[in-house]
Structure formats: C-alpha cells, structure tokens
Amino acid sequence: MRILTLNPGSSSLKAAVVHDGTAVGWAAWQSELSRAAVDAVRRWPRPDAVAVRFVHGGAQKTPVLVTDRVVANLDRLVPLAPIHQPFSLEVAGKVRELLPGVPVVACFDTAFHANLPAASSHYPLPREWTRQNRLRRYGFHGLSVQYAVRRTAELLRRPVDGLQLVCAHVGAGVSVTAVRGGRSVDTSMGFTPLEGPAMATRSGSVDPGLLLHVMKTAPMGPDELADALCLRSGLAGMSGTSGDLGEVRAAAADGNADAALAVEVYVHRLRREIGAAAMSLDRLDALVFTGGVAEYQPETVAEVARGLGMLGVRIGTLEQSDVDRTISAPGSPVPVLVVRAREDLELARDAEAVLADLGNEVHRARTADRSEVR
C-alpha cells in the first residue's frame, strides 16, 4: 500500500511517501500550506491514501477517515491548538479537493494518550467543570512517542508490553511521557500543548496565579495573553532570539546572559519533568530522547541526562548522528537512547489500519447481503 503522509507545522509542511512500511520519498516546504499541499500531491504518483497529522483529536481515540462531519468536529478544537490545528484542517481540505476518491485519514497526537489513568488526566478543579470529561489533560506528541516506543523495543530486543520507559520529545515543542506496556500513563502536556517544560516559543507550565496577576495589572485580554504564551515566551521570550536552541546557545557562548539563563531554565525544566514522569512507573527500563533537538543538539541531551544520576542514568560520549542509538555509558543501570522522530511511518501505519477496518466492514456488509439473499 502506498501512503502519502502530510505533517503540517505552523509555517511548513513535511511530506513522505511510505510504501508497505518503508519511506520511499520525502520532501519539505517552507511556504503557504495550501500551495505546499498541491506541490506534495503532484510530486508523486497517485497514492492509495493520504494520512494527515492533527495535533488535537479531542475525544477521538483512533485515526479516522476525514468526512465533513469530522472536519466540523476538528474545527471546534482550533482554540486548544491554535498553532497547528488550522493548518492541518487547511491541508486536509486541499487534499480532499485535489484527490477525489482517495481516502484521507486524520491521525491524532492526542490518541496515544486517550486512555490515561484518571489520576493523570484529571485536573483538580470544581467537579461541575470536569464532570463532562472535556476539561482534562489530553497530552500531545503521541505519534512521535508511539513510534519511539516501538523502535526502542526493537533496539533493546524486548517486547513493547514488557517495557516501562520515559520518552522525551524535544523539538520546538517539548513533552515528556511515561509509558508502561506500550500505553501512556502520564504526560507533561495537558489540556493544550502549553503545559510542561519550557519550549522554543511556548512558556510551558506557569503558575496560573501569575497569569491572573498579569491579566489584571497589564491589563491584558485572553487573546493577547495566548499570543504571549504561545509565540513570545519560552526560549524566545527569555533570550530575545527566535527561540531556536542553536541560536540561543550561540548567543550564550557570545556572553549573552539572558540566553545563558534561558538554556539553564530549559534544561532544568526538562530534567524536572523527566524525573516526575519516572515516578509514574514501577521501574525505569529506558530513557528515550526523540525530536529535532535530540537529533541535532547532542550537548543539550548530555546536559539533561547528566543531571539524572538519581534515576540510574549514566551518559556516554555523544556525537551528532542521524542513526538511532544507545548513548548511555557501558554499565549504566538505565539505557538511554536517541531515536529519530519518524511520524511519517506512524501516520502510514495508522492510515493502513483505518483502510483495513473499512475493508473488513465492506466484506461483512457483502457477506450479510448474500446471506439475506439465500
């Protein structure tokens, strides 16, 4: 089966063609997303299906075929993921227009966390607010974590259902997830992708009392506050840079004290979330880093890991590499791995599962029809 996978960002589109589980083509565009979607569709032969990544699926626990009703439901979630959700909707709409008759499948970052234990998903808020189970912790980066877990099991030669691990997705967005037996049991992002460690432009967790104080004293409305927390905080806000970690580190090396502090805060908050996630497990079988920073900023991974000795982590020599690898020192009680983010493979896997289910439904319907005729 040939699947075109589309992964929209806030200003970019990553595309790949996955044929029977193997990526056979890859491209990226830094351009207007509708135009990029057109280019992606025209770049390769007509696929059997298209898989589109959505950050937020709400209550949706599995990937789903995109219909008008699904689009309407996903559009209601835009306020909860304003940086990415509108662009995924735009890309899915353009693909449906360009490829009539080709199934388009929505795959959700939240789905991997859909069965979080109640203690992990529930906010300590008035029960009148939370009774409908909508104001809860959803979790994100699920497609990335899901792949990293499966790949880690392969590298360690252990079954997924026997592993307990912590996975840190470290890119422009940052999240930490505790995984037991292939299932998410705790994660740092919550109702929106703002919760958790400091990120490139997002604040991460901030005392809500501080935000109430700012809204009253600035004064500042919710839209302006959302803009500040999503786009003008994190590494960018602390350092006065774009928020790219390489740029921040370069500024720190040049003597920029704000940039140096930004790196310290970033590392500290990430390390703290890893420690917290480990407490949701019975034991720690592995610590896994994935995402762009994990792949291209080995010094950051080393800095984070060196402060985790209490968890049994012993780090070895790190070099930049595009190969999945173990980076812990020989004899480390806890293996530490860097796994490339391969959301394209996970998107294709989800799309194939949806098409298989549709095929089974058609087969059951035809069998039932034949039985009625007899």
Side-chain angles (χ1 to χ4, degrees):
M1 187 171 290
R2 194 177 183 88
I3 310 293
L4 172 62
T5 70
L6 299 176
N7 187 346
S10 57
S11 61
S12 65
L13 178 69
K14 292 185 287 187
V17 173
V18 180
H19 188 207
D20 293 339
T22 300
V24 296
W26 187 90
W29 290 265
Q30 295 282 341
S31 62
E32 192 267 326
L33 291 187
S34 287
R35 179 71 255 170
V38 172
D39 292 341
V41 166
R42 292 176 177 171
R43 185 181 183 93
W44 295 288
R46 186 179 180 92
D48 297 306
V50 180
V52 181
R53 177 195 173 209
F54 279 81
V55 166
H56 214 309
Q60 189 68 41
K61 295 185 177 182
T62 58
V64 64
L65 193 69
V66 175
T67 63
D68 291 344
R69 182 178 179 181
V70 168
V71 168
N73 289 337
L74 295 177
D75 185 64
R76 296 189 186 101
L77 299 171
V78 166
L80 306 188
I83 297 178
H84 294 92
Q85 195 84 351
F87 301 111
S88 295
L89 286 164
E90 181 181 347
V91 167
K94 178 57 68 173
V95 171
R96 293 177 75 198
E97 175 188 321
L98 294 170
L99 295 173
V102 174
V104 179
V105 177
C107 306
F108 307 109
D109 270 325
T110 48
F112 183 69
H113 308 288
N115 295 308
L116 278 172
S120 300
S121 65
H122 202 87
Y123 282 111
L125 295 170
R127 59 186 178 181
E128 293 80 9
W129 296 13
T130 59
R131 187 169 285 136
Q132 292 183 331
N133 200 33
R134 292 177 182 172
L135 299 182
R136 62 181 175 87
R137 305 186 68 252
Y138 287 96
F140 300 89
H141 288 146
L143 291 164
S144 173
V145 175
Q146 192 167 297
Y147 174 79
V149 170
R150 289 195 298 108
R151 181 61 178 142
T152 297
E154 292 174 0
L155 293 169
L156 296 179
R157 298 180 180 179
R158 295 182 59 177
V160 168
D161 59 10
L163 277 178
Q164 298 195 40
L165 56 84
V166 170
C167 182
H169 177 101
V170 194
V174 182
S175 68
V176 179
T177 301
V179 181
R180 182 192 296 125
R183 295 178 177 273
S184 173
V185 295
D186 202 358
T187 191
S188 60
M189 285 182 168
F191 182 64
T192 75
L194 265 175
E195 192 175 357
M199 307 177 214
T201 65
R202 281 171 268 177
S203 64
S205 297
V206 178
D207 180 354
L210 183 154
L211 302 180
L212 291 172
H213 174 77
V214 169
M215 291 183 74
K216 291 177 181 178
T217 58
M220 183 179 291
D223 290 341
E224 189 178 356
L225 182 61
D227 179 77
L229 295 175
C230 292
L231 301 175
R232 297 188 285 113
S233 296
L235 288 169
M238 289 187 288
S239 66
T241 68
S242 68
D244 176 82
L245 184 57
E247 182 183 344
V248 178
R249 282 195 170 277
D254 286 340
N256 183 322
D258 289 336
L261 176 60
V263 173
E264 290 181 13
V265 171
Y266 180 89
V267 169
H268 169 74
R269 296 294 292 270
L270 177 52
R271 190 185 290 148
R272 190 173 72 170
E273 290 291 349
I274 291 171
M279 294 302 101
S280 293
L281 303 173
D282 303 316
R283 62 180 188 274
L284 184 59
D285 294 327
L287 171 62
V288 185
F289 291 91
T290 190
V293 170
E295 293 177 46
Y296 304 114
Q297 295 280 342
E299 64 273 24
T300 299
V301 173
E303 195 171 344
V304 172
R306 286 186 187 120
L308 296 171
M310 290 185 66
L311 297 181
V313 170
R314 304 288 183 270
I315 200 72
T317 302
L318 271 72
E319 296 179 358
Q320 185 174 319
S321 172
D322 61 357
V323 176
D324 298 338
R325 62 204 187 277
T326 299
I327 60 172
S328 44
S332 174
V334 174
V336 183
L337 299 91
V338 172
V339 172
R340 290 178 301 159
R342 293 303 305 269
E343 289 157 323
D344 55 337
L345 299 181
E346 211 59 37
L347 287 165
R349 191 166 177 263
D350 279 358
E352 289 180 0
V354 169
L355 295 184
D357 286 344
L358 290 174
N360 291 336
E361 288 179 13
V362 170
H363 176 72
R364 285 194 293 268
R366 288 175 178 171
T367 302
D369 288 344
R370 286 196 295 269
S371 299
E372 289 177 7
V373 169
R374 292 187 186 130

